Amino acid sequence: MKKFLTMAMTGMLVAATAVCFAANGKILDAEESIAEQYAQGGFYKKVSPFMTAELQKSMTETEYVNMQTQMASALGKFTIFKMRDFTRFDDCDVLTYQLVTEKVPVAQFKFIFMVNGDKPLLNDAFIEVPTPKENKDAAPKK
């Protein structure tokens, strides 16, 4: 009887945990898809419906193409582009991707989404490249 109760409780705990983790799966999948299309240089007409009105106003099709061109020249081809962090706030979600390119050995690509019901909209995206730190042990120059 004890074994049966233990197995039943374990099964209920596993089921409850699975339901809790899957609650936001649909939104997160949509956000990942939008982020990947945006970063990989998808067509503006495919990406723009998933942008907030503010982002659509500030980033026209010409500006989007120019941004993609500048990213390609400054960073080169992406060699690693993997989601590493998902942060949920009350009014937005932030996805952080690890980015390694031909010209930049390490960077982060961050995407900020506003979520209205089940539809996430891209509100901002930017790349953070760490600046080289100065050697603190080096003697100061006089």
Side-chain angles (χ1 to χ4, degrees):
M1 184 69 169
K2 288 182 184 180
K3 289 181 184 179
F4 175 74
L5 286 175
T6 303
M7 288 185 349
M9 290 296 290
T10 303
M12 289 189 318
L13 285 172
V14 169
T17 303
V19 168
C20 291
F21 282 126
N24 295 316
K26 183 175 150 185
I27 294 172
L28 180 57
D29 288 344
E31 290 172 344
E32 284 184 274
S33 175
I34 295 165
E36 289 172 8
Q37 286 180 14
Y38 184 89
Q40 300 297 338
F43 293 109
Y44 182 78
K45 290 183 191 313
K46 288 178 83 176
V47 176
S48 63
F50 303 109
M51 294 180 181
T52 60
E54 295 84 18
L55 186 59
Q56 286 179 355
K57 286 178 189 173
S58 66
M59 183 170 293
T60 63
E61 186 170 3
T62 305
E63 290 170 342
Y64 179 76
V65 170
N66 288 342
M67 180 203 62
Q68 294 294 337
T69 305
Q70 290 174 357
M71 278 179 30
S73 66
L75 303 174
K77 185 179 176 184
F78 292 7
T79 56
I80 296 177
F81 183 74
K82 292 185 180 178
M83 190 180 84
R84 294 295 183 203
D85 186 44
F86 169 70
T87 307
R88 168 147 288 174
F89 295 99
D90 290 338
D91 58 346
C92 69
D93 293 344
V94 179
L95 272 65
T96 304
Y97 281 77
Q98 174 189 5
L99 182 63
V100 177
T101 67
E102 294 171 330
K103 298 179 182 178
V104 178
V106 63
Q108 290 184 347
F109 207 148
K110 294 197 176 201
F111 298 89
I112 301 172
F113 289 92
M114 305 305 288
V115 181
N116 298 330
D118 285 342
K119 185 178 179 186
L121 296 173
L122 183 63
N123 191 48
D124 197 7
F126 55 92
I127 297 175
E128 292 180 343
V129 179
T131 56
K133 294 182 181 179
E134 294 181 28
N135 187 352
K136 294 180 181 179
D137 297 331
K141 295 182 181 178
K142 292 184 179 182

